[in-house]
Amino acid sequence: MSDKLKRTSLFDIHEKLGAKIVPFAGFEMPVSYKGIISEHLAVRNNAGLFDVSHMGEVSVTGESALEFIQKITINDASVLINGQAQYSAMCLKNGGIIDDLLVYKRDENNYLLVINASNIDKDFNWMLENKIDGVELTNVSDEYSLLALQGPKSLEILQQLTETNLSKIEYYYFVEGYINGVKAIISRTGYTGELGFELYISSNKFDCESVWNSIMEKGSVYGIEPTGLGARDTLRLEMGYCLYGNDVDETTNPIEAGLGWITKINKNDFNGKSVIVETKMEGPKRKLVAIELLERAIPRHGYEVSKDGKIIGVITSGTMSPSLNKGIAMGYVETQYSKAGTELNVLIRGNESMGIVVKTPFLKK
């Protein structure tokens, strides 16, 4: 396989906008345009438009589609109705998380799985290994582009470009319609904690640019900003959302990651079930917690966490929160120190910075 980085259909637009482009998950992606803080606050107060076309999509069809999804994911997809989406995860037999994903039920025996960009090949090969009769699996990642319009003004902006009544779409539901004349899956989902929509459209360059430009044009009076992956990371961290590769990976059990709420242990056998059930019964040795710093400092991935001079854990994601103007982080600590209100320290360049375990989200809406 070539090491050459891929580009999304909107690459030329990002260059014209002067985006800072970085390699990310095999793509050349915009990390920021004007600046992470400005873009972050635009999403919190008005609206931001993201190109997240690097994400992967897998079509699952056939009479055994649901049975297959039930086998490979930990949530219960049998409760989904047509036009509904679900957050889930796929696990190895040892309970480690292969990926977290969204499951979209488009119709009976017709699902779309949305997976992380860095895991596309790994995930698809793993799905093929777990394939059962009566299932057709197709990696359609290159066929889709994905735009995310997020922020309190997102509905007003997007409604001007579609006949679909967007206010009728509930959280984690979707419809198939048109945006500026371009066919789209219009999904009431996002990774920011704000009102927002994710738009799955054809990766045809003309269509992508048309949708992007029309949203930016309609959004100009609402203070919309093009938004890069940098702000996407700070926005999701303020909400306490996990990032694959940082907060969860193949060494992480869903119970320690606080994903018990999507782990339906009462459904029939699924990959990793026995280990996950055992972890739930015995209690995990470590837990993913949210930490707020009590003094001005920036916690980063990989920094150690201590209590009374003893190392008790590690930071998996950290930043200076643009909304709260304080250091926030997520990380794993020994379970006995995981309760909200527990004081601990984050080791930053040899110094102990005081912090406290809090409940997510950091940003209370």
Side-chain angles (χ1 to χ4, degrees), residues 71-75 88-100 122 126 130 244 247-260 262-263 265 269-280 284 286 332:
K71 176 191 172 189
I72 66 163
T73 66
I74 63 177
N75 208 331
S88 193
M90 301 185 293
C91 289
L92 295 165
K93 289 203 163 33
N94 68 4
I97 300 172
I98 290 174
D99 206 357
D100 61 340
K122 175 188 85 167
W126 185 80
N130 283 272
Y244 193 87
D247 312 303
V248 291
D249 59 27
E250 291 188 7
T251 68
T252 316
N253 184 294
I255 305 303
E256 16 174 69
L259 296 176
I262 62 165
T263 310
I265 59 174
D269 201 30
F270 57 87
N271 284 13
K273 180 176 176 178
S274 59
V275 179
I276 293 168
V277 169
E278 192 180 319
T279 306
K280 193 177 171 76
R286 61 173 191 162
Y332 286 91

Side-chain angles (χ1 to χ4, degrees), residues 25-45:
F27 284 78
E28 291 184 76
M29 295 296 291
V31 72
S32 64
Y33 302 83
K34 282 186 184 171
I36 290 173
I37 292 175
S38 156
E39 292 161 33
H40 177 110
L41 296 176
V43 172
R44 287 278 179 249
N45 300 315

Side-chain angles (χ1 to χ4, degrees), residues 38 63 69 72 138 151 164 169-171 176 214-215 223 225 238 240 252 282 286 360:
S38 156
E63 59 188 26
I69 289 168
I72 66 163
T138 317
T164 299
I169 308 174
E170 292 179 51
Y171 191 46
E176 311 214 9
S214 63
I215 292 173
E225 284 198 26
E238 285 185 346
T252 316
E282 291 180 359
R286 61 173 191 162
T360 56

Side-chain angles (χ1 to χ4, degrees), residues 110-126:
N110 183 353
Y111 296 82
L112 187 70
L113 307 183
V114 182
I115 55 180
N116 283 298
S118 52
N119 293 338
I120 295 172
D121 291 341
K122 175 188 85 167
D123 286 4
F124 189 63
N125 289 334
W126 185 80

Side-chain angles (χ1 to χ4, degrees), residues 149-165:
L149 175 62
Q150 300 281 301
K153 305 286 172 54
S154 58
L155 193 150
E156 290 171 70
I157 294 167
L158 198 61
Q159 191 61 77
Q160 298 173 68
L161 296 165
T162 182
E163 289 178 10
T164 299
N165 185 343

Side-chain angles (χ1 to χ4, degrees), residues 151-210:
K153 305 286 172 54
S154 58
L155 193 150
E156 290 171 70
I157 294 167
L158 198 61
Q159 191 61 77
Q160 298 173 68
L161 296 165
T162 182
E163 289 178 10
T164 299
N165 185 343
L166 300 177
S167 62
K168 290 271 176 71
I169 308 174
E170 292 179 51
Y171 191 46
Y172 267 75
Y173 283 80
F174 65 97
V175 296
E176 311 214 9
Y178 290 85
I179 302 290
N180 199 37
V182 175
K183 199 172 181 193
I185 295 173
I186 306 167
S187 176
R188 174 78 173 75
T189 46
Y191 199 42
T192 64
E194 295 297 335
L195 170 68
F197 298 87
E198 294 184 306
L199 311 170
Y200 297 84
I201 58 176
S202 142
S203 54
N204 172 292
K205 188 171 190 284
F206 179 83
D207 287 346
C208 287
E209 292 189 347
S210 149

